Amino acid sequence: MNKTRAVMLAAAALAALPMSSRAQAYAVDRGSYILQGSAGWSSSRFTTEIAGATVHQRSTDVVLTPAVQYFVRPGLALGGQVNVLHSASGGNSSTAYGIGPKATYYFGRGERTYYPYISAGATYVRETFSHANAVGGDGSAGAVFMLTRSVALDGSLYYRHLQNNGDDVKQRINNFGLGIGVTAFAF
């Protein structure tokens, strides 16, 4: 089974977990679901190795990251994410699409006006310009600010690392940014 299919099956299995038979008392309680969408802007530094030569460049990036997660215990949500990354550098641009698992831990219990969190994920990415495949990971820290009992505004700082070790081209991308989005809790 190839990597893409394994990652997609794992994300689908986590998203299909049944809801708990007990009623959830608050947004980050066991059995709740998260439907999340965020957009981010960042600046990246990346290194490309082509035929023994190393080139260092900077790019401006826009990142879209929808995700679905399920709370397996109070505060701990597991699920999957999709990443769309559009980069522009020196008159060139490219778009990369990725999918992978995601885990988020929310601090605090009960009804609150905000929940700080940390999150980590892994991604398998396909880049459209060079048709290269890459693997990577990401991490973020932020908070959701509850607008209603089940809808929140999400703000975070994030870091992403992608690495492609192809035969002709080797590329490493380190991406730091600021994300903002909307999170819906189903409970």
Side-chain angles (χ1 to χ4, degrees):
M1 178 182 302
N2 66 30
K3 289 180 189 178
T4 305
R5 187 174 293 162
V7 169
M8 285 193 276
L9 287 173
L14 286 172
L17 287 171
M19 293 199 62
S20 172
S21 62
R22 67 178 181 88
Q24 294 75 37
Y26 51 94
V28 300
D29 198 5
R30 181 176 172 259
S32 297
Y33 280 92
I34 301 172
L35 304 172
Q36 187 175 44
S38 66
W41 174 87
S42 64
S43 177
S44 295
R45 179 174 189 264
F46 60 96
T47 304
T48 305
E49 294 178 24
I50 302 174
T54 302
V55 178
H56 300 282
Q57 295 177 303
R58 293 200 75 65
S59 71
T60 301
D61 309 309
V62 175
V63 180
L64 302 174
T65 310
V68 175
Q69 293 180 284
Y70 174 79
F71 283 92
V72 295
R73 59 175 283 194
L76 178 61
L78 303 176
Q81 65 183 348
V82 175
N83 293 300
V84 179
L85 171 65
H86 183 76
S87 298
S89 176
N92 297 319
S93 67
S94 68
T95 303
Y97 301 92
I99 188 168
K102 181 176 183 173
T104 306
Y105 185 78
Y106 291 84
F107 298 93
R109 302 289 174 270
E111 290 287 331
R112 298 178 53 142
T113 57
Y114 70 95
Y115 296 95
Y117 69 85
I118 56 173
S119 183
T123 308
Y124 175 79
V125 176
R126 176 77 172 167
E127 198 271 324
T128 59
F129 181 74
S130 64
H131 303 291
N133 297 325
V135 293
D138 60 83
S140 63
V144 292
F145 300 92
M146 303 304 289
L147 301 174
T148 69
R149 191 165 184 256
S150 60
V151 177
L153 183 62
D154 184 347
S156 67
L157 296 174
Y158 64 84
Y159 168 75
R160 281 191 179 83
H161 174 78
L162 293 173
Q163 186 162 338
N164 170 19
N165 289 325
D167 294 333
D168 298 330
V169 177
K170 296 178 192 251
Q171 191 172 49
R172 291 176 304 280
I173 301 172
N174 293 305
N175 181 266
F176 294 92
L178 173 65
I180 189 164
V182 175
T183 300
F185 296 89
F187 62 100

